[in-house]
Amino acid sequence: DSGVTQTPKHLITATGQRVTLRCSPRSGDLSVYWYQQSLDQGLQFLIQYYNGEERAKGNILERFSAQQFPDLHSELNLSSLELGDSALYFCASSVGQGAGELFFGEGSRLTVL
Amino acid sequence: SQQGEEDPQALSIQEGENATMNCSYKTSINNLQWYRQNSGRGLVHLILIRSNEREKHSGRLRVTLDTSKKSSSLLITASRAADTASYFCATAPNAGGTSYGKLTFGQGTILTVHP
């Protein structure tokens, strides 16, 4: 158990809809990262937050947004969903804001029909 | 785009044999990490090697890093069926600024260890 909690574990929705994925980092970790894993793209870095502020950004689509709240949990919002958004979405956390060891959650599997 | 490229894409061995996976990357790095992923599960950190280190050990794991060739290898000795998983290398950028914690993962090597 990494200590990182992600909900929901599975989500099935329709194209055009909006979903929110939630992540609680390990106790004491200030950084939260979001990754997308799909068969064709592999593991893609989406975004990093550190203590509530955006720190690094990857190829995150404009339809996607994220935030980190004062209690350090984070949410990833995916809107106007397309079939190609079907993937495993991972949250990870770390103590600092540099690229050290990451602790991953078990992921949220999103299926867009 | 992927920074790290693993080789081979898949590896099948017998229990007790050693497994070697390679990773190549393109840009200057601060550190390189290896992660393991069991099917459909979260990634688990295995080992981190910094750019000024050449070799590191952790239990049955041995990692080497050659920054001149921009490559790394992960050796798992005396493999077990429980080692069956996907293994990913991940690189941390050397540049600061907006890169911060951006780890870039390779496509992974699928390791199957037969009992």
Side-chain angles (χ1 to χ4, degrees):
Chain A
D1 182 6
S2 67
V4 177
T5 304
Q6 288 188 247
T7 57
K9 287 185 169 35
H10 300 276
L11 194 54
I12 301 174
T13 188
T15 54
Q17 295 298 304
R18 171 191 170 96
V19 298
T20 297
L21 309 181
R22 194 178 191 280
C23 169
S24 294
R26 283 190 328 158
S27 176
D29 285 358
L30 298 179
S31 270
V32 169
Y33 310 76
W34 287 98
Y35 281 84
Q36 178 195 59
Q37 185 177 37
S38 62
L39 280 175
D40 54 344
Q41 295 291 324
L43 265 163
Q44 296 284 329
F45 170 77
L46 296 179
I47 199 162
Q48 176 201 4
Y49 281 85
Y50 175 78
N51 205 21
E53 296 197 6
E54 183 182 305
R55 269 292 177 265
K57 206 166 185 176
N59 296 326
I60 186 168
L61 299 172
E62 284 191 11
R63 301 183 286 108
F64 296 1
S65 65
Q67 55 183 325
Q68 185 180 29
F69 295 87
D71 67 353
L72 301 178
H73 92 272
S74 177
E75 292 181 357
L76 178 66
N77 299 296
L78 315 175
S79 61
S80 302
L81 286 168
E82 302 174 0
L83 296 178
D85 297 328
S86 295
L88 253 178
Y89 290 85
F90 285 108
C91 169
S93 71
S94 69
V95 173
Q97 58 183 329
E101 177 181 356
L102 299 189
F103 295 86
F104 280 79
E106 290 296 311
S108 293
R109 183 174 293 280
L110 173 66
T111 303
V112 182
L113 301 175
Chain B
S1 63
Q2 300 296 325
Q3 158 81 311
E5 296 291 334
E6 277 99 336
D7 164 55
Q9 290 186 351
L11 182 59
S12 183
I13 60 175
Q14 297 294 127
E15 257 190 333
E17 294 180 341
N18 295 341
T20 300
M21 289 159 267
N22 303 297
C23 169
S24 61
Y25 58 92
K26 297 172 185 172
T27 61
S28 179
I29 60 171
N30 176 280
N31 68 67
L32 185 145
Q33 304 176 34
W34 286 89
Y35 287 80
R36 165 195 167 124
Q37 183 181 32
N38 285 65
S39 181
R41 304 292 301 275
L43 282 80
V44 176
H45 181 267
L46 295 176
I47 196 165
L48 180 154
I49 186 165
R50 303 193 186 285
S51 60
N52 62 353
E53 296 176 310
R54 291 297 167 257
E55 188 171 312
K56 203 162 182 179
H57 296 255
S58 177
R60 294 184 295 114
L61 305 180
R62 172 178 169 255
V63 169
T64 62
L65 179 63
D66 187 335
T67 53
S68 66
K69 295 181 180 177
K70 291 187 169 58
S71 68
S72 172
S73 68
L74 170 68
L75 168 67
I76 304 174
T77 60
S79 62
R80 307 165 182 166
D83 294 328
T84 295
S86 292
Y87 291 82
F88 295 88
C89 68
T91 51
N94 205 15
T98 59
S99 296
Y100 274 108
K102 180 182 176 182
L103 272 188
T104 303
F105 285 81
Q107 292 286 355
T109 293
I110 300 172
L111 173 66
T112 304
V113 182
H114 300 281

